[in-house]
Amino acid sequence: MKYTNLVLAALLGFTALSAKADVASAEKMEKLYTTIAKSVTPTYAGPNAEAGKEFYNRKITQFKGNTKDNKEVACASCHTANPADKGKHIVTGKSIKPLSPVVNDKRFSDLDKVEDKFTKHCNEIIGADCKPEEKADFIAYLLTESTPSAKK
Ligand code: HEC
């Protein structure tokens, strides 16, 4: 974990987080990223679930050197249009447990893992790490998604 994040995590009492994960830990992470975002961008108004939803669904062209192989990928490509649903990896086809912490209490419980995944996926999809405000908005959006789609 980055040093600044560790300091902030400590300030916000993250170390006291119990092993039992739930929505509360996702909310704590949302606050943590908000605090970091505001320190970097004082004009940031705070978590915006709508912006997070847009970010989640935003399609970004992955250039493969050959126009016909270019692919449009979004977070939703693997995590599906509804984060309360199970996802499916677009490359390996493997099932991915729902990303919404409301339906999957293992999500957003381990800050190291979350930072790791954000860094990895944001770099893969966007080509750079996501900004703290994007992370706060993203979690805010996931927290609004609590209803898995009806089974087809
Ligand atoms: C190519 C497929 C794929 C795409 C695209 C993708 N992810 Fe993921 N994501 C995964 C997999 C696989 C996991 C890990 C599954 C697990 O731990 O069960 C994961 C897990 C995560 C986690 C971990 C949450 C937790 O606490 O467990 C975060 C955060 C995340 N993804 C964010 C994103 C964001 C943001 C984007 C878009 C910029 C994105 N992902 C796009 C496949 C993908």
Side-chain angles (χ1 to χ4, degrees):
M1 203 189 315
K2 285 173 219 136
Y3 176 72
T4 44
N5 290 359
L6 253 182
V7 171
L8 280 163
L11 281 176
L12 292 170
F14 231 97
T15 42
L17 206 62
S18 71
K20 192 190 164 295
D22 52 29
V23 166
S25 76
E27 284 170 346
K28 272 198 172 184
M29 280 187 208
E30 183 189 333
K31 283 209 185 77
L32 176 63
Y33 286 123
T34 303
T35 306
I36 301 171
K38 284 187 171 164
S39 73
V40 183
T41 315
T43 51
Y44 179 59
N48 180 331
E50 268 305 305
K53 182 175 186 176
E54 224 165 85
F55 175 84
Y56 181 89
N57 290 294
R58 193 171 81 203
K59 292 199 177 105
I60 295 166
T61 307
Q62 309 288 302
F63 294 103
K64 301 285 177 200
N66 180 336
T67 324
K68 92 171 162 33
D69 294 334
N70 287 351
K71 259 197 313 199
E72 292 212 307
V73 180
C75 307
S77 302
C78 289
H79 293 297
T80 80
N82 178 358
D85 283 343
K86 264 194 268 179
K88 189 167 183 250
H89 197 286
I90 49 171
V91 180
T92 63
K94 277 197 195 138
S95 175
I96 304 171
K97 296 204 174 83
L99 203 51
S100 167
V102 187
V103 292
N104 179 356
D105 66 7
K106 299 226 166 32
R107 293 299 184 202
F108 299 93
S109 56
D110 177 341
L111 190 57
D112 274 330
K113 182 184 174 190
V114 170
E115 268 292 275
D116 202 59
K117 295 284 179 198
F118 266 135
T119 304
K120 185 168 177 275
H121 295 175
C122 293
N123 274 293
E124 274 174 14
I125 311 301
I126 298 163
D129 197 0
C130 293
K131 298 188 194 99
E133 51 265 48
E134 289 170 330
K135 297 177 184 178
D137 292 349
F138 187 79
I139 299 175
Y141 166 57
L142 296 183
L143 280 163
T144 67
E145 292 289 356
S146 57
T147 318
S149 308
K151 294 230 162 49
K152 285 173 201 124

